[in-house]
Amino acid sequence: AMFIAMHYFNAAYGSVAMIRFMLPAEILMILICSIIISRYFSWSEIGFIAPLNTKSMVWLIPIYMVLIVGWAFLISDFNTLKINRQQWEDFALIGFVTLLVGVAEELMFRGIILHALLDKISPRKAVIVSAFAFSLLHSINIIGGVPVEGMILQLGLTFIAGFYLAGVMVKIKSIIPLIVWH
């Protein structure tokens, strides 16, 4: 979808036009992940349970601190902005697609891939392999127009995030807080 948006519709990476184009692709990814989960796993097995171990919940503090700081900066800037109706609609679309990206990527990497690996290899190796796969997914952004330097930075950052999030998933056994954060 990103390739088609960029190369056939001249929709630059991160533009509202590309985000609009990504909406059906993200919905399709969630549907595919849902079919795979329903067929090969159970929803509770991949983490659709409330985290019960309060000791493990401490692992969520860093990711939610990042989220809180990000929202604080965003909200503090709202007072100085003059936002028209179209901009609000674009903001809502970007927010909705971002939510779908979070759901799709968490289902795929911390749900399906991580849990499939946990059945076959040690938790440490499963965390590393799923983080590597998560990072590699983001290399596709180069076909959407991200410069090579930007993609390399994304690969590093997404590996670190994927490593941490997979480790948290193994600890708390709930995918819900990760979807919310993502």
Side-chain angles (χ1 to χ4, degrees):
M2 203 179 293
F3 178 83
I4 293 168
M6 174 71 178
H7 297 284
Y8 292 101
F9 296 99
N10 295 321
Y13 180 82
S15 68
V16 174
M18 182 175 276
I19 301 288
R20 217 174 258 121
F21 202 82
M22 294 302 297
L23 179 62
E26 292 303 328
I27 292 170
L28 180 61
M29 282 306 304
I30 292 170
L31 288 173
I32 291 169
C33 288
S34 298
I35 291 167
I36 292 169
I37 291 165
S38 297
R39 181 164 181 163
Y40 298 104
F41 301 93
S42 70
W43 288 94
S44 61
E45 181 183 2
I46 62 120
F48 275 92
I49 56 173
L52 302 175
N53 185 347
T54 53
K55 274 186 165 180
S56 295
M57 295 300 286
V58 73
W59 288 96
L60 294 172
I61 292 171
I63 61 175
Y64 279 100
M65 290 303 293
V66 168
L67 188 65
I68 290 167
V69 168
W71 275 100
F73 279 113
L74 182 66
I75 291 168
S76 71
D77 284 346
F78 273 178
N79 294 336
T80 61
L81 300 174
K82 304 257 190 270
I83 301 174
N84 65 37
R85 181 185 170 108
Q86 184 61 52
Q87 290 169 321
W88 276 115
E89 289 174 8
D90 291 346
F91 182 74
L93 174 70
I94 291 166
F96 183 63
V97 172
T98 300
L99 174 68
L100 294 178
V101 167
V103 172
E105 289 184 0
E106 292 306 320
L107 288 177
M108 186 184 317
F109 292 98
R110 262 63 72 189
I112 296 168
I113 293 173
L114 180 62
H115 283 86
L117 291 169
L118 287 170
D119 288 342
K120 301 196 180 330
I121 59 178
S122 73
R124 285 182 187 186
K125 287 179 183 174
V127 165
I128 291 168
V129 172
S130 71
F132 185 70
F134 181 62
S135 179
L136 278 181
L137 167 79
H138 290 82
S139 66
I140 200 166
N141 291 341
I142 200 162
I143 66 172
V146 172
V148 173
E149 317 80 59
M151 188 206 57
I152 291 170
L153 179 62
Q154 273 188 344
L155 293 178
L157 293 174
T158 53
F159 178 81
I160 292 167
F163 182 80
Y164 180 75
L165 293 170
V168 169
M169 179 67 196
V170 168
K171 282 283 194 193
I172 69 169
K173 301 188 181 351
S174 177
I175 200 168
I176 297 166
L178 305 180
I179 290 172
V180 170
W181 180 81
H182 198 140

